[in-house]
Amino acid sequence: MPQIPEKVHELTVGQLAARSGAAVSALHFYESKGLISSRRTAGNQRRYSRDALRRVAFIRAAQRVGIPLATIGEALAELPEGRTPTREDWARLSEAWRSELDERIQQLNRLRDHLTDCIGCGCLSLNTCVLSNPDDVYGEQRGAGSRLLVERREHREQQTPRRRR
């Protein structure tokens, strides 16, 4: 990993990519989403402050554990004056994210446990199907079966006058 001299206070996008392990395109994407920021030189080149390294590390660590970028962005926006997250910030935020991750793990466990029930059934309205239609209100009202498409077609035909030949 290339070292950046202490006297260098700003990084090019290439230096930031090399140091953070993030692709240049990812850094541009993070910037477009407001997760990191840069200034432009007279030659219109991006320059990132050294603390962008910590922000990128924070973003990538949160992504690795499954936190969506929108949630990461909300967390970074809560920091005073857009400052770089500290170890204490990570501890506080990760604690808040823990329940979200626990819920997602439980959901994935339920999906895994019901996977064999649904393979090959072909029916989107099974009462026990938690994969293809977990909140099947329509199926509860009208019974199991794939009649929704047929009913839509019939409704459309009633609404559209037939052409005479």
Side-chain angles (χ1 to χ4, degrees):
M1 185 175 304
Q3 295 296 316
I4 300 167
E6 286 294 319
K7 64 182 178 183
V8 175
H9 296 289
E10 291 185 320
L11 308 172
T12 66
V13 70
Q15 289 170 322
L16 182 58
R19 289 282 302 177
S20 67
V24 169
S25 59
L27 297 174
H28 290 169
F29 182 75
Y30 295 160
E31 188 171 358
S32 74
K33 297 298 180 185
L35 302 173
I36 61 175
S37 62
S38 67
R39 72 169 187 87
R40 297 293 182 132
T41 66
N44 202 30
Q45 295 177 333
R46 289 178 169 93
R47 292 294 186 265
Y48 297 90
S49 63
R50 288 180 70 98
D51 67 345
L53 277 170
R54 181 176 288 272
R55 284 182 83 86
V56 172
F58 178 90
I59 294 164
R60 290 177 51 107
Q63 282 185 301
R64 267 190 231 102
V65 296
I67 304 300
L69 271 180
T71 304
I72 296 167
E74 291 167 6
L76 289 171
E78 290 176 9
L79 297 176
E81 299 174 14
R83 74 168 162 76
T84 301
T86 63
R87 184 176 293 187
E88 293 77 24
D89 293 326
W90 177 260
R92 179 179 48 79
L93 291 167
S94 64
E95 185 61 34
W97 291 336
R98 180 179 288 280
S99 63
E100 181 182 328
L101 290 173
D102 287 342
E103 185 178 316
R104 198 172 314 146
I105 289 167
Q106 288 175 354
Q107 180 184 20
L108 287 170
N109 283 333
R110 281 193 305 274
L111 289 172
R112 181 204 56 217
D113 294 344
H114 289 67
L115 182 63
T116 55
D117 296 342
C118 194
I119 296 293
C121 74
C123 178
L124 298 178
S125 294
L126 287 176
N127 292 334
T128 61
C129 187
V130 297
L131 295 178
S132 61
N133 201 0
D135 300 315
D136 187 10
V137 175
Y138 193 83
E140 290 174 10
Q141 296 169 353
R142 307 247 176 133
S146 57
R147 66 175 71 67
L148 185 60
L149 183 60
V150 173
E151 289 177 5
R152 281 186 184 159
R153 188 178 319 131
E154 289 171 359
H155 177 74
R156 206 173 33 242
E157 288 173 357
Q158 291 172 0
Q159 300 297 321
T160 308
R162 293 185 184 237
R163 290 189 225 163
R164 293 187 180 172
R165 293 185 186 196

